[in-house]
Amino acid sequence: QRHYNWNKYHPVEAAAHKILNSMIRSGKMKRKPCKECGDKNVRGHHTDYTKPLKVIWLCEIHHRAVHKRRRLSDLSMRFRTAL
C-alpha cells in the first residue's frame, strides 16, 4: 500500500502551512481564539493559500465544519454542471 504524500500533491498549501507554523514557533505570530466559539485550542484556516499568514482561527470542530461545507458546495457545483 502506498502512503499518500499530501505535501507532494499540494505544494502551495504545504508551503503556506510551513510558513504559518514557522511564524507561530518563532513567536512572530500568535494564535487567537476560535472566531466562532472562543476556544483557545485552534488551527489557522487558510481561505487563500497564496497568503500564508492570512488565516481565520478556528477550533477543530469549526475548522472541520468549514471544510465539510466547502466539500458539499464543491459536490453540488459538480452535480449542477454535469446536468
Side-chain angles (χ1 to χ4, degrees), residues 19-57:
I19 291 167
L20 177 63
N21 290 332
S22 177
M23 293 296 282
I24 292 168
R25 278 193 307 274
S26 72
K28 293 178 183 173
M29 187 164 191
K30 302 278 185 203
R31 289 184 170 99
K32 295 179 182 175
C34 176
K35 178 185 172 199
E36 299 296 325
C37 68
D39 190 347
K40 296 201 186 310
N41 186 14
V42 293
R43 295 177 171 205
H45 172 71
H46 292 94
T47 56
D48 181 350
Y49 287 106
T50 65
K51 299 174 183 170
L53 300 179
K54 186 175 181 184
V55 295
I56 300 167
W57 296 104

Side-chain angles (χ1 to χ4, degrees), residues 64-82:
R64 284 184 187 189
V66 166
H67 282 274
K68 183 175 183 180
R69 280 193 303 268
R70 192 175 107 205
R71 279 193 305 274
L72 291 174
S73 175
D74 289 348
L75 285 173
S76 175
M77 184 63 74
R78 284 189 209 144
F79 179 73
R80 277 186 245 153
T81 58

